[in-house]
Amino acid sequence: MFNFRKKNIGIDLGTANTNVYMEGKGIVVGEPSVIAKDIKKDHVVAVGEEARNMIGRTPGSITAIRPMKEGVIADFDTTASMMKYFIERAVGNTASKPVVMVCVPGGGTEVEKRAILDATRMAGAKEAYLIEEPFAAAIGAGLPVMDPTGSMVVDIGGGTTDVATISLGGIVSSRTIKMAGDRMDEAIIQYIRKKYKLLIGERTAEQVKKELGCASIEEADENDTTDIRGRDMLTGLPKTIEITAVDVAEAIQEVIEGIIAAVKETLEKTSPEISADVIDRGIVITGGGALLKNISDVISKATEVPVFIADDPLNCVAIGTGESLKHLDVYRKQARR
Ligand code: ADP
Ligand code: MG
């Protein structure tokens, strides 16, 4: 017999990337959380990678939007259209609708959470449930979230960094700050503007961060350089300059310090038992920011706790969200309460 039951999916609705996990298959979609719309005709022009390439390059009538910027739904309808596209990409455009588990960044209000559930149903889910990001990240990173032992996870995404301690299947303490990858990109733009009088775009800044970025100024290598293109502020003309890894490390330092402060504050709020567990087991970093060079070392040095990078950090949240579909009965019960 064929099994025609629709596969359930887990969606990590990130500020930078949306990843979809399908039961029995794993990650089936991974694309930037961007949608391009024709405002005059009110229709969707492109979604995902294709839409991202349009940022900063659209003609008057088309806008490329990141609807989840900073971890909240900036624009409800736009988020719903984006999710609809990703759900269709994952399950195909068929009549039977999937059950969807959605992961939202921490720190959202009840109103925002309800808005995400509504957007998910509007996007074609039969039933929709929410899982909190640090919890999903911890599951995806393979931490023993159900055990009576404290785990600490730091998810450094695009718009937010979520820090949380978890024990016995729940979040014990958490903190969300709006300092993560996007802020690093902005800091690089400001730095290059001030030091070299060159205006660069967001995409260029992000590329430079990925290529040369290093969380520690001391560890950054002066000989590690790259050429970047932008507009000279004095002549107004295009110009190419060479920048070093030290430039990038200096530029993003403020954001790194913000992340370290959030980790320290969360540790300070933690009970002695959980602190002891975290010292024993270490802190795990997930999210795209985990790929920044030296990030584990600087956090470890500042907190005197061992720090590890999760396997596949960009996909941890989606994997954890998908895994939680195994416990749908629990989520259904909670939703009825
Ligand atoms: P979100 O969950 O908010 O969508 P992600 O976990 O997908 O965010 O991470 C996206 C962020 O990670 C972006 O800001 C991106 O620039 C950053 N990132 C990706 N790869 C690297 C890298 N190699 N070094 C530094 N930052 C990176
Ligand atoms: Mg994320």
Side-chain angles (χ1 to χ4, degrees):
M1 271 299 283
F2 291 109
N3 180 5
F4 287 115
R5 188 177 75 86
K6 180 57 82 189
K7 292 269 199 289
N8 297 329
I9 58 176
I11 303 182
D12 166 17
L13 192 59
T15 59
N17 297 296
T18 298
N19 300 309
V20 183
Y21 178 102
M22 183 180 276
E23 269 184 332
K25 275 197 169 170
I27 304 286
V28 289
V29 178
E31 295 230 29
S33 309
V34 185
I35 180 164
K37 268 184 157 177
D38 187 320
I39 337 167
K40 278 193 206 131
K41 296 185 196 141
D42 192 34
H43 84 102
V44 177
V45 180
V47 177
E49 190 62 52
E50 200 189 334
R52 188 167 80 137
N53 289 331
M54 297 179 179
I55 290 181
R57 296 197 175 108
T58 51
S61 65
I62 295 175
T63 60
I65 311 163
R66 285 181 54 191
M68 296 296 297
K69 217 168 180 178
E70 297 196 342
V72 292
I73 291 199
D75 177 339
F76 181 84
D77 290 334
T78 310
T79 304
S81 345
M82 188 177 78
M83 283 184 95
K84 184 166 187 288
Y85 168 87
F86 288 129
I87 292 174
E88 281 176 11
R89 270 281 304 277
V91 301
N93 193 359
T94 56
S96 69
K97 298 172 163 186
V99 173
V100 180
M101 181 74 71
V102 191
C103 177
V104 289
T109 64
E110 285 307 311
V111 174
E112 282 161 1
K113 286 177 187 167
R114 210 163 310 130
I116 294 193
L117 282 177
D118 287 343
T120 311
R121 286 190 210 98
M122 216 164 103
K126 184 169 65 183
E127 299 166 48
Y129 303 96
L130 279 186
I131 178 168
E132 286 191 88
E133 183 177 48
F135 197 63
I139 296 174
L143 297 175
V145 294
M146 295 300 174
D147 292 0
T149 177
S151 300
M152 185 169 200
V153 58
V154 178
D155 181 276
I156 308 173
T160 64
T161 294
D162 287 81
V163 185
T165 53
I166 290 162
S167 174
L168 286 167
I171 292 175
V172 181
S173 61
S174 69
R175 214 182 142 73
T176 297
I177 56 165
K178 291 183 174 169
M179 280 208 186
D182 290 343
R183 286 288 283 274
M184 295 183 205
D185 302 346
E186 282 161 29
I188 293 169
I189 294 173
Q190 297 306 332
Y191 184 96
I192 303 288
R193 193 228 278 278
K194 265 205 194 124
K195 183 165 174 185
Y196 297 103
K197 305 280 177 281
L198 187 78
L199 291 175
I200 60 165
E202 274 173 45
R203 296 291 306 274
T204 305
E206 185 185 21
Q207 234 170 321
V208 165
K209 172 186 71 180
K210 288 185 184 175
E211 200 181 318
L212 292 186
C214 178
S216 150
I217 298 175
E218 295 86 62
E219 295 297 321
D221 185 355
E222 247 180 5
N223 301 315
D224 202 0
T225 63
T226 193
D227 285 345
I228 54 167
R229 266 182 286 282
R231 194 174 74 217
D232 186 319
M233 288 168 70
L234 305 174
T235 65
L237 298 172
K239 188 178 171 186
T240 302
I241 61 159
E242 189 186 75
I243 63 161
T244 73
V246 177
D247 284 328
V248 182
E250 279 178 4
I252 64 174
Q253 214 33 234
E254 208 181 271
V255 183
I256 302 297
E257 277 162 22
I259 293 171
I260 289 172
V263 175
K264 279 185 161 173
E265 280 160 30
T266 312
L267 280 171
E268 282 161 15
K269 276 194 303 188
T270 303
S271 73
E273 285 79 9
I274 289 187
S275 284
D277 293 340
V278 173
I279 291 170
D280 267 359
R281 312 180 48 88
I283 298 169
V284 173
I285 314 187
T286 62
L291 297 169
L292 185 71
K293 271 186 243 93
N294 275 97
I295 186 75
S296 56
D297 296 343
V298 297
I299 297 179
S300 180
K301 208 167 147 192
T303 55
E304 295 173 32
V305 174
V307 177
F308 305 97
I309 307 291
D311 286 341
D312 200 1
L314 279 163
N315 283 326
C316 278
V317 170
I319 293 169
T321 304
E323 291 269 319
S324 69
L325 287 166
K326 288 181 191 150
H327 307 290
L328 255 187
D329 49 330
V330 178
Y331 288 87
R332 284 192 175 119
K333 246 183 242 160
Q334 276 173 0
R336 275 199 291 272
R337 254 193 267 135

